[in-house]
Amino acid sequence: MNLSQREKYVLWGSIGAFILINLFCIWKEFLFFPIVSFIVLVLYLLIYRVDLLMYFMAFVTPLSITINDERFSIGLSLPSEFIMVSLTLLFLCRILYDLRLDPRLVKHPISIVIYIYLTWMLLTSITSELPVVSFKFLAAKLWFITSSYFMVLQLIKDDLKNAVKFFNCYTVGLCIVVIYTTIRHSLWGFSEWSGHWVMSPFYNDHTAYGAILAFFIPIVTAFLFSTDKRKNRWFYGIALALLLMGLYLSFCRAAWLSIMAVIGVWMVMKLRIKFSWLVMAALVLGSLFYFYSDDILYKMGRNSQDTSGNLVEHLQSMSNISTDASNVERLNRWTSAFRMIEERPVLGWGPGTYQFVYAPFQRYKYHTIITTDFGDGGNAHSEYLGPCSESGIMGLLTVLALAMVVLYCGIRSYSSCHDPASKRLVFAMTLALVSYFIHGFLNNFLDTDKLSLPFWAAIAVIAIIDAQQKELHQQPMVIHEKIN
């Protein structure tokens, strides 16, 4: 639609007036008009411009705020989860009506692993200790994956530039959060203590905040060095500076560790080391840790360096399991998870139930000042032990299978891709996912919209590019068969 200059002024003036009216109503605490206008806007975009609604979803997700209603035991991150639910319902309706999915993507190994992952979660929800909790957890997982994986597949399958726009929208929203957090942090003198909560209400603590920063730093870095446009370089350069500053001030050791792992994997991909060698190296390191675990834990137990505002001392505190409350509490959650797995190794206790049932499995020797006798302190602090305790050994295997298949497809696509734009895009997504898979050993945030959206969207990008590469490699074979 071509608009004259005057029509453009009228359009943007109307949008500006609409935003100002809503902000004024919110300021005066007259929420009826903003809520109704937002619902009308979402419905309009659902009908006429789903692509714009998805970009809007990416932008508002880092800015969304969790609203809890204790009467109904419901917690939603608004407005992002409202949009996710709307897109999920649209997707299901379109499938029943007229949407034809690309067979390459429906049958892709990544999609197949996701089907298994969700099917097993459904089964263990039926056998759950707390079925209501598990089915709520499953419902949230469904709208996260549908809106952030299957809908993103539809958005970018015909034009990968849409993937860049999608992640750019999230980057803008995240940079706003970083600016807000940094200003608020400065009022407390950038102290390590205040760095744990100044990102609220957008992120509940510094670990979730650090995880998303570590996720987007590889993406923004790759975009910065892949663009030739000056304005884009300025945008990505400023965004990268903000993200690095936010990461440093987050005091999140797991996020720093994941960035170090990203640098290592970046070197591996540049050197074109085979994926099988990486798997072998991981197995060797895991075996060494298992056989020498007593010596490792003994040396870690002698480390008395607590968290500190000093960068070197803060890094040293990562291995302190004697006096650092955060580390010891993490051991408490892990040992509780192991004891839960021992009691129910096959079906687990049910998706999303860990935080409600782990209390009796705690051990006194791991109690700290932040331990609660009622076990209401949160999740298992592991993206691997959590699913294992909640959905059994098979639940863990589905998560590991997802990680292995995604990384394999990402590295394979990067090695075989000849299109520079696609190559850089799959490179960025793979490194971002590496950062989270490493971070997942120490924390788990895939039950939140803020991490789930970019996580599943990055997987969708890898699936698209990998499917394209398979098709390109199969074309000569098809031509040869026709000639014969």
Side-chain angles (χ1 to χ4, degrees):
M1 180 174 64
N2 294 321
L3 300 176
S4 66
Q5 196 67 26
R6 183 179 177 181
E7 289 172 331
K8 289 180 180 178
Y9 287 141
V10 172
L11 175 63
W12 286 109
S14 301
I15 293 172
F18 177 77
I19 293 172
L20 288 174
I21 292 171
N22 278 278
L23 290 175
F24 178 78
C25 292
I26 293 172
W27 178 49
K28 291 294 184 179
E29 298 184 355
F30 179 68
L31 301 180
F32 177 77
F33 182 78
I35 291 173
V36 171
S37 61
F38 176 76
I39 293 173
V40 171
L41 175 64
V42 170
L43 290 175
Y44 174 81
L45 293 176
L46 271 175
I47 297 170
Y48 296 105
R49 292 299 302 269
V50 178
D51 57 333
L52 293 182
L53 181 59
M54 293 188 67
Y55 296 141
F56 181 63
M57 175 181 68
F59 170 72
V60 299
T61 294
L63 297 167
S64 296
I65 299 173
T66 301
I67 307 296
N68 292 304
D69 191 328
E70 296 181 357
R71 294 173 299 175
F72 302 100
S73 300
I74 295 175
L76 286 176
S77 182
L78 298 175
S80 60
E81 288 196 63
F82 176 79
I83 300 174
M84 289 178 175
V85 173
S86 302
L87 287 170
T88 300
L89 293 175
L90 174 67
F91 181 78
L92 295 176
C93 292
R94 289 291 305 275
I95 286 179
L96 295 175
Y97 181 61
D98 66 346
L99 182 62
R100 295 182 180 179
L101 300 178
D102 190 332
R104 299 174 306 164
L105 303 175
V106 173
K107 299 177 182 179
H108 192 276
I110 292 177
S111 297
I112 292 172
V113 173
I114 291 175
Y115 305 149
I116 297 171
Y117 171 76
L118 291 174
T119 302
W120 186 256
M121 191 175 292
L122 172 62
L123 176 62
T124 52
S125 294
I126 297 171
T127 61
S128 171
E129 180 78 6
L130 302 169
V132 174
V133 171
S134 294
F135 278 105
K136 285 181 182 178
F137 185 87
L138 175 61
K141 191 68 70 172
L142 283 171
W143 69 61
F144 287 159
I145 294 177
T146 303
S147 62
S148 306
Y149 178 76
F150 292 107
M151 286 298 290
V152 170
L153 286 178
Q154 299 303 309
L155 176 70
I156 68 176
K157 66 178 182 178
D158 296 322
D159 190 354
L160 286 174
K161 290 180 181 178
N162 291 339
V164 177
K165 295 176 185 176
F166 186 85
F167 282 95
N168 282 349
C169 290
Y170 196 108
T171 301
V172 173
L174 183 58
C175 286
I176 293 173
V177 174
V178 172
I179 293 170
Y180 161 85
T181 302
T182 305
I183 293 173
R184 198 176 180 201
H185 201 178
S186 68
L187 300 176
W188 294 88
F190 295 108
S191 64
E192 188 268 336
W193 165 74
S194 63
H196 287 219
W197 52 265
V198 289
M199 61 290 304
S200 63
F202 303 114
Y203 290 84
N204 56 4
D205 65 14
H206 72 126
T207 53
Y209 179 62
I212 194 62
L213 292 173
F215 190 95
F216 267 84
I217 284 172
I219 295 175
V220 174
T221 303
F223 288 177
L224 172 63
F225 289 102
S226 63
T227 183
D228 296 326
K229 296 181 178 179
R230 187 175 180 181
K231 63 178 182 179
N232 288 349
R233 282 187 174 274
W234 273 105
F235 169 72
Y236 293 125
I238 293 171
L240 181 59
L242 287 171
L243 297 181
L244 288 171
M245 177 182 65
L247 181 69
Y248 175 74
L249 294 174
S250 70
F251 295 101
C252 181
R253 297 165 295 181
W256 296 351
L257 177 65
S258 64
I259 287 296
M260 295 177 190
V262 165
I263 294 172
V265 173
W266 170 76
M267 294 176 64
V268 166
M269 292 178 72
K270 284 296 182 181
L271 295 173
R272 296 181 178 275
I273 297 175
K274 293 182 179 179
F275 184 77
S276 57
W277 294 7
L278 295 178
V279 175
M280 186 64 67
L283 292 173
V284 170
L285 288 174
S287 300
L288 289 174
F289 183 83
Y290 177 79
F291 288 113
Y292 295 99
S293 58
D294 291 339
D295 294 334
I296 294 171
L297 292 174
Y298 173 74
K299 291 183 179 179
M300 291 172 70
R302 295 185 64 184
N303 181 4
S304 60
Q305 177 61 57
D306 288 323
T307 56
S308 168
N310 181 280
L311 176 61
V312 177
E313 292 177 353
H314 200 59
L315 287 172
Q316 290 174 348
S317 70
M318 294 178 70
S319 61
N320 177 6
I321 59 171
S322 59
T323 61
D324 188 287
S326 177
N327 291 347
V328 179
E329 178 61 22
R330 187 169 276 107
L331 284 179
N332 177 43
R333 304 291 178 85
W334 291 351
T335 54
S336 298
F338 279 123
R339 297 178 73 187
M340 290 168 64
I341 295 166
E342 288 176 1
E343 188 160 325
R344 296 189 182 181
V346 180
L347 296 174
W349 293 80
T353 61
Y354 175 93
Q355 60 182 318
F356 300 103
V357 300
Y358 83 91
F361 296 93
Q362 297 181 104
R363 288 184 174 177
Y364 181 76
K365 68 177 182 177
Y366 294 120
H367 278 211
T368 68
I369 58 173
I370 57 178
T371 300
T372 61
D373 294 331
F374 298 101
D376 54 358
N379 53 42
H381 282 285
S382 171
E383 207 65 68
Y384 308 102
L385 290 179
C388 191
S389 63
E390 294 177 348
S391 299
I393 302 298
M394 184 63 183
L396 171 63
L397 292 177
T398 59
V399 173
L400 292 177
L402 178 67
M404 296 289 287
V405 171
V406 167
L407 293 180
Y408 174 75
C409 291
I411 294 173
R412 178 178 65 183
S413 299
Y414 174 76
S415 301
S416 61
C417 190
H418 297 294
D419 175 54
S422 299
K423 194 179 187 74
R424 286 190 291 262
L425 188 57
V426 76
F427 182 64
M429 299 300 119
T430 303
L431 291 182
L433 289 166
V434 165
S435 79
Y436 188 75
F437 286 132
I438 296 298
H439 201 281
F441 283 100
L442 301 172
N443 290 298
N444 56 315
F445 300 114
L446 288 185
D447 56 348
T448 67
D449 60 313
K450 297 180 187 296
L451 259 298
S452 286
L453 185 141
F455 176 85
W456 294 109
I459 292 176
V461 173
I462 290 176
I464 286 282
I465 296 176
D466 186 61
Q468 291 176 348
Q469 293 307 304
K470 280 185 180 179
E471 190 174 42
L472 287 173
H473 290 309
Q474 289 172 357
Q475 282 179 355
M477 187 181 298
V478 173
I479 294 172
H480 181 68
E481 289 174 355
K482 286 182 179 179
I483 292 174
N484 290 337

